[in-house]
PDB file of all heavy atoms in Angstrom:
ATOM      1  N   LEU A 226     -12.688  -1.398  -4.621  1.00 96.00           N
ATOM      2  CA  LEU A 226     -13.130  -2.881  -4.543  1.00 96.00           C
ATOM      3  C   LEU A 226     -12.445  -3.540  -5.662  1.00 96.00           C
ATOM      4  O   LEU A 226     -12.838  -3.374  -6.831  1.00 96.00           O
ATOM      5  CB  LEU A 226     -14.640  -2.973  -4.552  1.00 96.00           C
ATOM      6  CG  LEU A 226     -15.125  -4.403  -4.543  1.00 96.00           C
ATOM      7  CD1 LEU A 226     -14.725  -5.192  -3.266  1.00 96.00           C
ATOM      8  CD2 LEU A 226     -16.681  -4.438  -4.614  1.00 96.00           C
ATOM      9  N   VAL A 227     -11.553  -4.454  -5.464  1.00 97.00           N
ATOM     10  CA  VAL A 227     -10.880  -5.155  -6.504  1.00 97.00           C
ATOM     11  C   VAL A 227     -11.710  -6.387  -6.796  1.00 97.00           C
ATOM     12  O   VAL A 227     -11.752  -7.213  -5.923  1.00 97.00           O
ATOM     13  CB  VAL A 227      -9.462  -5.442  -6.146  1.00 97.00           C
ATOM     14  CG1 VAL A 227      -8.685  -6.162  -7.187  1.00 97.00           C
ATOM     15  CG2 VAL A 227      -8.699  -4.235  -5.622  1.00 97.00           C
ATOM     16  N   THR A 228     -12.002  -6.613  -7.999  1.00 97.00           N
ATOM     17  CA  THR A 228     -12.822  -7.739  -8.475  1.00 97.00           C
ATOM     18  C   THR A 228     -12.369  -8.424  -9.689  1.00 97.00           C
ATOM     19  O   THR A 228     -12.806  -9.361 -10.336  1.00 97.00           O
ATOM     20  CB  THR A 228     -14.321  -7.507  -8.742  1.00 97.00           C
ATOM     21  OG1 THR A 228     -14.403  -6.352  -9.777  1.00 97.00           O
ATOM     22  CG2 THR A 228     -14.943  -6.817  -7.414  1.00 97.00           C
ATOM     23  N   THR A 229     -11.080  -8.026 -10.138  1.00 96.00           N
ATOM     24  CA  THR A 229     -10.474  -8.540 -11.336  1.00 96.00           C
ATOM     25  C   THR A 229      -9.264  -9.417 -10.984  1.00 96.00           C
ATOM     26  O   THR A 229      -8.859  -9.509  -9.801  1.00 96.00           O
ATOM     27  CB  THR A 229     -10.001  -7.347 -12.309  1.00 96.00           C
ATOM     28  OG1 THR A 229      -9.177  -6.588 -11.589  1.00 96.00           O
ATOM     29  CG2 THR A 229     -11.240  -6.596 -12.672  1.00 96.00           C
ATOM     30  N   GLY A 230      -8.708  -9.963 -12.027  1.00 96.00           N
ATOM     31  CA  GLY A 230      -7.468 -10.880 -11.745  1.00 96.00           C
ATOM     32  C   GLY A 230      -7.915 -12.128 -10.889  1.00 96.00           C
ATOM     33  O   GLY A 230      -8.918 -12.673 -11.094  1.00 96.00           O
ATOM     34  N   VAL A 231      -6.976 -12.379  -9.984  1.00 97.00           N
ATOM     35  CA  VAL A 231      -7.274 -13.538  -9.048  1.00 97.00           C
ATOM     36  C   VAL A 231      -8.517 -13.272  -8.165  1.00 97.00           C
ATOM     37  O   VAL A 231      -9.164 -14.255  -7.616  1.00 97.00           O
ATOM     38  CB  VAL A 231      -6.048 -13.848  -8.101  1.00 97.00           C
ATOM     39  CG1 VAL A 231      -4.898 -14.336  -8.948  1.00 97.00           C
ATOM     40  CG2 VAL A 231      -5.619 -12.562  -7.398  1.00 97.00           C
ATOM     41  N   TYR A 232      -8.947 -12.064  -8.066  1.00 98.00           N
ATOM     42  CA  TYR A 232     -10.122 -11.736  -7.258  1.00 98.00           C
ATOM     43  C   TYR A 232     -11.412 -12.023  -8.041  1.00 98.00           C
ATOM     44  O   TYR A 232     -12.493 -11.864  -7.433  1.00 98.00           O
ATOM     45  CB  TYR A 232     -10.099 -10.204  -6.830  1.00 98.00           C
ATOM     46  CG  TYR A 232      -9.076  -9.926  -5.737  1.00 98.00           C
ATOM     47  CD1 TYR A 232      -7.726  -9.610  -6.118  1.00 98.00           C
ATOM     48  CD2 TYR A 232      -9.436  -9.925  -4.477  1.00 98.00           C
ATOM     49  CE1 TYR A 232      -6.815  -9.358  -5.149  1.00 98.00           C
ATOM     50  CE2 TYR A 232      -8.471  -9.630  -3.469  1.00 98.00           C
ATOM     51  CZ  TYR A 232      -7.147  -9.411  -3.831  1.00 98.00           C
ATOM     52  OH  TYR A 232      -6.204  -9.191  -2.796  1.00 98.00           O
ATOM     53  N   SER A 233     -11.265 -12.295  -9.259  1.00 97.00           N
ATOM     54  CA  SER A 233     -12.416 -12.652 -10.067  1.00 97.00           C
ATOM     55  C   SER A 233     -12.975 -14.015  -9.800  1.00 97.00           C
ATOM     56  O   SER A 233     -14.146 -14.435 -10.102  1.00 97.00           O
ATOM     57  CB  SER A 233     -12.171 -12.522 -11.504  1.00 97.00           C
ATOM     58  OG  SER A 233     -11.201 -13.378 -11.893  1.00 97.00           O
ATOM     59  N   PHE A 234     -12.208 -14.965  -9.196  1.00 96.00           N
ATOM     60  CA  PHE A 234     -12.690 -16.314  -8.972  1.00 96.00           C
ATOM     61  C   PHE A 234     -12.622 -16.697  -7.453  1.00 96.00           C
ATOM     62  O   PHE A 234     -13.096 -17.691  -7.055  1.00 96.00           O
ATOM     63  CB  PHE A 234     -11.833 -17.363  -9.671  1.00 96.00           C
ATOM     64  CG  PHE A 234     -10.411 -17.416  -9.344  1.00 96.00           C
ATOM     65  CD1 PHE A 234     -10.016 -18.276  -8.311  1.00 96.00           C
ATOM     66  CD2 PHE A 234      -9.419 -16.834 -10.069  1.00 96.00           C
ATOM     67  CE1 PHE A 234      -8.674 -18.374  -7.967  1.00 96.00           C
ATOM     68  CE2 PHE A 234      -8.032 -16.900  -9.819  1.00 96.00           C
ATOM     69  CZ  PHE A 234      -7.773 -17.757  -8.682  1.00 96.00           C
ATOM     70  N   THR A 235     -12.143 -15.722  -6.654  1.00 97.00           N
ATOM     71  CA  THR A 235     -12.206 -16.000  -5.143  1.00 97.00           C
ATOM     72  C   THR A 235     -12.159 -14.554  -4.420  1.00 97.00           C
ATOM     73  O   THR A 235     -11.338 -13.689  -4.862  1.00 97.00           O
ATOM     74  CB  THR A 235     -10.993 -16.848  -4.562  1.00 97.00           C
ATOM     75  OG1 THR A 235     -11.079 -16.833  -3.136  1.00 97.00           O
ATOM     76  CG2 THR A 235      -9.649 -16.344  -5.100  1.00 97.00           C
ATOM     77  N   ARG A 236     -13.028 -14.387  -3.461  1.00 97.00           N
ATOM     78  CA  ARG A 236     -13.080 -13.029  -2.845  1.00 97.00           C
ATOM     79  C   ARG A 236     -11.835 -12.825  -1.976  1.00 97.00           C
ATOM     80  O   ARG A 236     -11.514 -11.624  -1.733  1.00 97.00           O
ATOM     81  CB  ARG A 236     -14.325 -13.006  -1.840  1.00 97.00           C
ATOM     82  CG  ARG A 236     -15.656 -13.176  -2.605  1.00 97.00           C
ATOM     83  CD  ARG A 236     -16.729 -12.635  -1.685  1.00 97.00           C
ATOM     84  NE  ARG A 236     -16.897 -13.248  -0.436  1.00 97.00           N
ATOM     85  CZ  ARG A 236     -17.549 -14.410  -0.165  1.00 97.00           C
ATOM     86  NH1 ARG A 236     -17.987 -15.101  -1.168  1.00 97.00           N
ATOM     87  NH2 ARG A 236     -17.543 -14.860   1.078  1.00 97.00           N
ATOM     88  N   HIS A 237     -11.306 -13.828  -1.453  1.00 98.00           N
ATOM     89  CA  HIS A 237     -10.053 -13.658  -0.546  1.00 98.00           C
ATOM     90  C   HIS A 237      -8.924 -14.472  -0.993  1.00 98.00           C
ATOM     91  O   HIS A 237      -8.596 -15.488  -0.380  1.00 98.00           O
ATOM     92  CB  HIS A 237     -10.435 -13.976   0.866  1.00 98.00           C
ATOM     93  CG  HIS A 237     -11.607 -13.185   1.380  1.00 98.00           C
ATOM     94  ND1 HIS A 237     -11.390 -11.896   1.908  1.00 98.00           N
ATOM     95  CD2 HIS A 237     -12.843 -13.338   1.445  1.00 98.00           C
ATOM     96  CE1 HIS A 237     -12.462 -11.395   2.291  1.00 98.00           C
ATOM     97  NE2 HIS A 237     -13.488 -12.271   2.035  1.00 98.00           N
ATOM     98  N   PRO A 238      -8.234 -14.191  -2.068  1.00 98.00           N
ATOM     99  CA  PRO A 238      -7.232 -14.991  -2.679  1.00 98.00           C
ATOM    100  C   PRO A 238      -6.074 -15.126  -1.740  1.00 98.00           C
ATOM    101  O   PRO A 238      -5.256 -16.147  -1.764  1.00 98.00           O
ATOM    102  CB  PRO A 238      -6.834 -14.369  -4.024  1.00 98.00           C
ATOM    103  CG  PRO A 238      -7.388 -12.955  -3.867  1.00 98.00           C
ATOM    104  CD  PRO A 238      -8.472 -13.018  -3.028  1.00 98.00           C
TER     105      PRO A 238
END
Side-chain angles (χ1 to χ4, degrees):
L226 178 59
V227 182
T228 59
T229 58
V231 292
Y232 289 84
S233 63
F234 64 86
T235 172
R236 298 197 305 274
H237 300 280

